Amino acid sequence: MSRKTSDIWYHFTTANNESAKCKYCSVSYSYKGGSTANLSRHLKRKHIIQYDVRKKICTDKTDNLDLEENIDDPDTVSVHQNISETQNQPSTSSFSTSKITHTSNKTSQSQTRMESFIPRPLSMNKSQKIDEQLGIMIAKEFQPFSVVENIEFRKFVHLLNPNYSIPSRKTVFKSILPQLLEKTKQKVKTNLNNAKYIAFTTDGWTSLNNDSFVAITVHYIDNIECVLKSYLLGCYYFEQAHTAINLSEFMIKCFDEWEISEKIKVAVSDNAANITSAISLNSNWRHMPCLAHGINLIAQSGLSEIQSVHKKVKSIVEFFKRSTKSYIKLKQTQTQMGQPLLKLIQDVATRWNSTYDMFQRCIDIKDPLISTIALIGKNENLTPDDFYIMEHYCSVFKPFKEMTIELSSEKGVSISKVIILCNVLLSHIKKKKNEPNLPSAIYSMLLTMETKAEKRFERIEEQRLLIEATILDPRFKKRGFSNTKSYEFAYQKIIQSITTIIQSESEKHNLSGNEVNAVQENVNEKEQFDIWKDFDLQAPAITTISTPKSKAIIEIDKYLNEPLLDRKSDPLMWWKQMKTVYPNLFQLALLRLCVPSTSVPCERIFSKAGCTISDRRNRLSIKNAELLLFLNNDVIGMHQIHQ
């Protein structure tokens, strides 16, 4: 049988003289009379990619070797030669010559050019983008630099793109990451230019290598987008003594380098004496203690009253954590009782609400836990009285956990919620204390906590930063205060603040408008008519004099008469729409609502630092540790993946 010249036969094999089988899906189609229409329709409908690429299977007539075919990737496919069977045959007639010429022309028209099969090297721009994304992956996913030397990783990347040359480990930390660092710093600086007022949080941390670090995060409301934004300026190695003076100089130097010294207004930190003293050394900074630390101190103060139960539960949890056999038995008991498999939780003194989580988990698996302890023959078991104490404890401390989560968010305004939530928490403690039939230990615990909370929240509605933030939140306004007296005090304070802003803006306007006014006065003198002199002399006597304070009162009263915003709505979006209506209040909102209510942003940085400087990476240099922590928090990936 003569060789078929149609391109279709590179995708089909002949089953018999009337049918052909597809090489990709093994479906047979008829080609009676030599027509390949059925075969062509099948390729275009089911295998369009292979049909468009038109890779040909060629046979070398001399050695009959079959060349390997790869139709999936046109960049990596091997080049096939199509050798005509009649190419070496002599031409004996005009008919045969015409036939050969016709066949050759047909083949050359349908054959893909050789250049299209040669792998094209990546462009410089594309290669740099991949390098950059590799650096982002290493920084954000806590990957070691040596990942680029991992054999399986290199195989994986090669399969994705064989033309990409994976950089060496040295290139990653000496070239790619430093370039990414500079690029990210410039982006952060550009974004900080849109900030009028900035608040910052700071705290210290010691790594497993006993190296001391100080982290500084900044928070502001973008003046244009009206969106709350946060950045890590750095988690810096600090080798000096942690005195107030050294810390203060260090922070000032950091802000000078970022060119934001004049914008810093508020600092949030825990109650560590050296940090609070360092902040107080700068008269332009207002200090606000971390509310989450305060809530935790209130919670810890009452724990000593139920020490016996706490100690017993902790001992039992530690026993199951150490004993694999007992832990397996607990899981089996949960399965037999048809309950979900839940692990016991160990409390940690430095982890907020961990005692609540430990007690609550014991309550959740009460029956399997008691049965397992009895089966394994442990001397100490939990009694109904112990669970009674734990249940009361959890009912008391559930709002503590919810409040900590609510105030620790960096994505929304939290400072305006502080007064409301503190009053709610204090009211909750008092209400629980007055419940009948309380265990004596729980009553003593609540009494201790009430005393601690009253002392800590005693003058909270007199703190200027908090009361102004509460009024400026369109969700709360007057409703954010516990009584009328506190609201009246806050009302007077916010009038003072707005008056100061109006005076400041007026002075700037007057300074810039002096020359214009001078020119205008000269023009008016030339065009002045005598008939207007009497009118101008009488006008000031009957014109109402507008003062900065009166303007402030008018603006704040108009704002307070606006309907309240829904509690779940975003107050910053409201201000974005109304900033031209209340321009002076908007300036004060930028100053107050950007402040985080806790120093949790720094705590989160230290959690990431623990993953970066780990046992596996304990030889990481200080410089590279600082670089990775900054990029991990601030760098933005090249492509956003939609989950």
Side-chain angles (χ1 to χ4, degrees):
M1 183 178 180
S2 62
R3 178 180 173 85
K4 300 175 178 61
T5 58
S6 173
D7 292 345
I8 293 298
W9 296 108
Y10 292 110
H11 309 281
F12 285 83
T13 57
T14 54
N16 50 52
N17 292 335
E18 295 184 353
S19 64
K21 182 185 292 186
C22 176
K23 292 183 179 180
Y24 311 118
C25 60
S26 300
V27 177
S28 296
Y29 285 89
S30 172
Y31 71 102
K32 289 182 179 179
S35 173
T36 60
N38 288 340
L39 312 185
S40 178
R41 279 195 295 270
H42 172 71
L43 284 176
K44 292 178 181 179
R45 188 172 63 251
K46 298 292 185 180
H47 310 293
I48 186 64
I49 296 177
Q50 291 87 337
Y51 181 79
D52 288 343
V53 174
R54 295 189 303 175
K55 306 276 176 65
K56 297 176 173 60
I57 304 174
C58 301
T59 305
D60 191 336
K61 188 176 180 180
T62 57
D63 54 9
N64 294 321
L65 293 177
D66 293 332
L67 299 178
E68 184 176 350
E69 163 184 346
N70 185 343
I71 59 174
D72 293 329
D73 189 351
D75 288 337
T76 60
V77 72
S78 59
V79 181
H80 300 305
Q81 283 187 312
N82 184 21
I83 304 174
S84 173
E85 290 183 355
T86 59
Q87 186 175 359
N88 296 324
Q89 296 178 1
S91 178
T92 57
S93 66
S94 60
F95 175 78
S96 61
T97 303
S98 175
K99 184 176 181 180
I100 293 173
T101 304
H102 174 75
T103 304
S104 300
N105 290 337
K106 185 175 181 181
T107 303
S108 63
Q109 290 173 3
S110 61
Q111 184 175 2
T112 307
R113 293 177 63 84
M114 181 179 294
E115 288 82 357
S116 65
F117 295 110
I118 300 175
R120 297 179 181 177
L122 287 176
S123 65
M124 182 65 70
N125 183 44
K126 180 69 173 177
S127 182
Q128 287 177 348
K129 284 184 177 180
I130 298 177
D131 286 345
E132 185 172 296
Q133 189 58 45
L134 176 64
I136 292 172
M137 181 202 74
I138 289 173
K140 295 190 77 70
E141 303 300 331
F142 307 105
Q143 295 292 335
F145 298 144
S146 60
V147 69
V148 295
E149 298 174 350
N150 187 293
I151 295 175
E152 299 304 323
F153 176 76
R154 296 181 73 88
K155 287 181 180 178
F156 174 71
V157 173
H158 182 74
L159 285 173
L160 293 177
N161 195 331
N163 298 326
Y164 174 62
S165 178
I166 302 177
S168 67
R169 176 178 180 173
K170 189 175 181 180
T171 303
V172 169
F173 70 80
K174 284 197 172 184
S175 177
I176 295 176
L177 288 176
Q179 290 176 15
L180 188 59
L181 175 68
E182 291 304 316
K183 186 176 180 180
T184 305
K185 278 188 174 182
Q186 289 303 318
K187 285 183 179 179
V188 174
K189 276 190 176 182
T190 302
N191 290 336
L192 289 175
N193 287 335
N194 292 330
K196 187 165 186 179
Y197 307 108
I198 296 176
F200 75 93
T201 71
T202 185
D203 204 353
W205 175 75
T206 304
S207 71
L208 57 84
N209 294 330
N210 209 29
D211 294 321
S212 180
F213 290 84
V214 174
I216 298 178
T217 67
V218 290
H219 310 265
Y220 69 95
I221 298 172
D222 189 284
N223 200 18
I224 300 172
E225 300 175 7
C226 287
V227 176
L228 189 63
K229 294 186 177 181
S230 302
Y231 291 106
L232 171 69
L233 296 188
C235 188
Y236 301 101
Y237 174 61
F238 195 81
E239 59 182 347
Q240 295 177 303
H242 286 213
T243 62
I245 295 176
N246 289 341
L247 288 170
S248 179
E249 292 176 351
F250 165 76
M251 288 185 282
I252 292 171
K253 182 181 178 182
C254 175
F255 297 141
D256 287 341
E257 289 178 355
W258 284 93
E259 301 174 359
I260 57 173
S261 297
E262 299 300 321
K263 299 180 179 182
I264 299 295
K265 301 299 179 182
V266 182
V268 182
S269 72
D270 59 17
N271 296 318
N274 57 344
I275 292 181
T276 54
S277 298
I279 293 170
S280 64
L281 288 175
N282 194 313
S283 59
N284 295 325
W285 301 346
R286 185 188 296 270
H287 178 254
M288 195 187 86
C290 172
L291 186 62
H293 281 85
I295 295 172
N296 185 56
L297 290 174
I298 295 171
Q300 293 294 330
S301 67
L303 197 59
S304 59
E305 302 296 336
I306 57 168
Q307 187 176 5
S308 58
V309 176
H310 179 226
K311 192 174 181 180
K312 182 191 289 188
V313 175
K314 191 169 184 177
S315 174
I316 290 173
V317 172
E318 287 175 350
F319 170 76
F320 278 96
K321 291 288 184 181
R322 290 195 306 265
S323 174
T324 304
K325 183 178 179 182
S326 301
Y327 172 68
I328 293 173
K329 187 63 179 176
L330 176 61
K331 289 200 298 183
Q332 291 174 346
T333 306
Q334 287 176 319
T335 303
Q336 291 170 0
M337 291 185 173
Q339 294 192 8
L341 296 176
L342 299 176
K343 296 180 180 180
L344 289 168
I345 298 174
Q346 179 70 69
D347 74 335
V348 181
T350 56
R351 185 173 297 168
W352 302 333
N353 303 306
S354 60
T355 302
Y356 166 83
D357 293 332
M358 181 177 70
F359 283 178
Q360 187 60 54
R361 181 53 54 86
C362 289
I363 294 170
D364 293 339
I365 58 172
K366 176 180 177 180
D367 293 336
L369 181 60
I370 293 174
S371 299
T372 305
I373 294 173
L375 287 171
I376 62 179
K378 183 172 173 56
N379 295 331
E380 193 175 37
N381 203 341
L382 294 172
T383 66
D385 288 340
D386 295 333
F387 278 100
Y388 190 57
I389 294 289
M390 285 191 284
E391 288 168 358
H392 276 286
Y393 178 93
C394 290
S395 67
V396 169
F397 279 90
K398 186 177 181 180
F400 280 76
K401 182 174 182 178
E402 292 175 351
M403 182 174 173
T404 303
I405 295 172
E406 181 85 13
L407 294 176
S408 298
S409 173
E410 295 180 59
K411 296 182 179 179
V413 175
S414 62
I415 189 68
S416 58
K417 303 174 185 177
V418 171
I419 292 177
I420 300 171
L421 293 179
C422 288
N423 287 333
V424 168
L425 195 63
L426 185 56
S427 176
H428 168 73
I429 294 172
K430 291 180 177 180
K431 187 185 294 185
K432 282 291 181 181
K433 190 190 72 172
N434 294 327
E435 286 185 358
N437 304 320
L438 277 178
S440 59
I442 295 295
Y443 180 81
S444 298
M445 181 187 75
L446 288 167
L447 197 63
T448 304
M449 291 169 61
E450 182 184 20
T451 304
K452 188 81 171 179
E454 286 179 340
K455 183 178 180 181
R456 185 163 290 276
F457 302 149
E458 182 181 7
R459 304 175 68 87
I460 196 167
E461 294 190 28
E462 296 178 12
Q463 296 183 28
R464 192 161 189 168
L465 193 155
L466 297 178
I467 60 180
E468 290 182 355
T470 304
I471 289 181
L472 290 168
D473 193 320
R475 300 171 297 178
F476 307 132
K477 299 180 183 177
K478 184 177 180 179
R479 288 185 61 192
F481 299 89
S482 60
N483 54 65
T484 305
K485 184 179 178 181
S486 298
Y487 168 71
E488 289 297 333
F489 176 79
Y491 178 78
Q492 295 300 325
K493 290 296 181 183
I494 202 168
I495 287 176
Q496 293 177 12
S497 297
I498 301 171
T499 301
T500 303
I501 290 174
I502 293 174
Q503 289 173 340
S504 176
E505 293 296 327
S506 178
E507 289 174 1
K508 291 179 182 178
H509 179 73
N510 290 337
L511 289 173
S512 62
N514 282 340
E515 294 182 4
V516 176
N517 292 336
V519 173
Q520 192 67 34
E521 286 175 3
N522 292 332
V523 173
N524 291 339
E525 285 178 2
K526 295 177 182 179
E527 297 179 355
Q528 187 74 27
F529 294 100
D530 292 340
I531 194 173
W532 290 106
K533 287 184 179 180
D534 292 337
F535 175 83
D536 292 338
L537 291 172
Q538 295 175 7
I542 60 175
T543 302
T544 303
I545 298 175
S546 179
T547 64
K549 185 173 182 180
S550 64
K551 290 180 180 179
I553 293 173
I554 292 170
E555 188 168 335
I556 186 64
D557 286 346
K558 184 180 177 182
Y559 162 74
L560 291 173
N561 287 327
E562 293 271 3
L564 287 176
L565 190 66
D566 182 75
R567 184 181 63 82
K568 296 181 180 179
S569 300
D570 185 356
L572 297 182
M573 290 298 99
W574 187 91
W575 276 113
K576 184 177 182 180
Q577 297 172 358
M578 305 298 288
K579 62 182 178 181
T580 55
V581 180
Y582 307 107
N584 300 304
L585 278 172
F586 176 67
Q587 295 302 316
L588 190 59
L590 293 177
L591 174 62
R592 298 304 186 211
L593 298 183
C594 70
V595 182
S597 56
T598 70
S599 60
V600 169
C602 276
E603 302 291 341
R604 292 194 175 106
I605 297 301
F606 297 148
S607 296
K608 293 178 180 180
C611 296
T612 302
I613 310 172
S614 60
D615 289 330
R616 187 181 177 188
R617 306 176 72 185
N618 57 13
R619 292 190 297 172
L620 190 68
S621 69
I622 297 295
K623 180 181 178 181
N624 286 333
E626 291 178 343
L627 180 150
L628 288 172
L629 287 170
F630 177 80
L631 292 177
N632 181 276
N633 191 80
D634 292 345
V635 73
I636 299 174
M638 295 298 297
H639 305 285
Q640 298 297 324
I641 300 176
H642 299 284
Q643 299 291 340

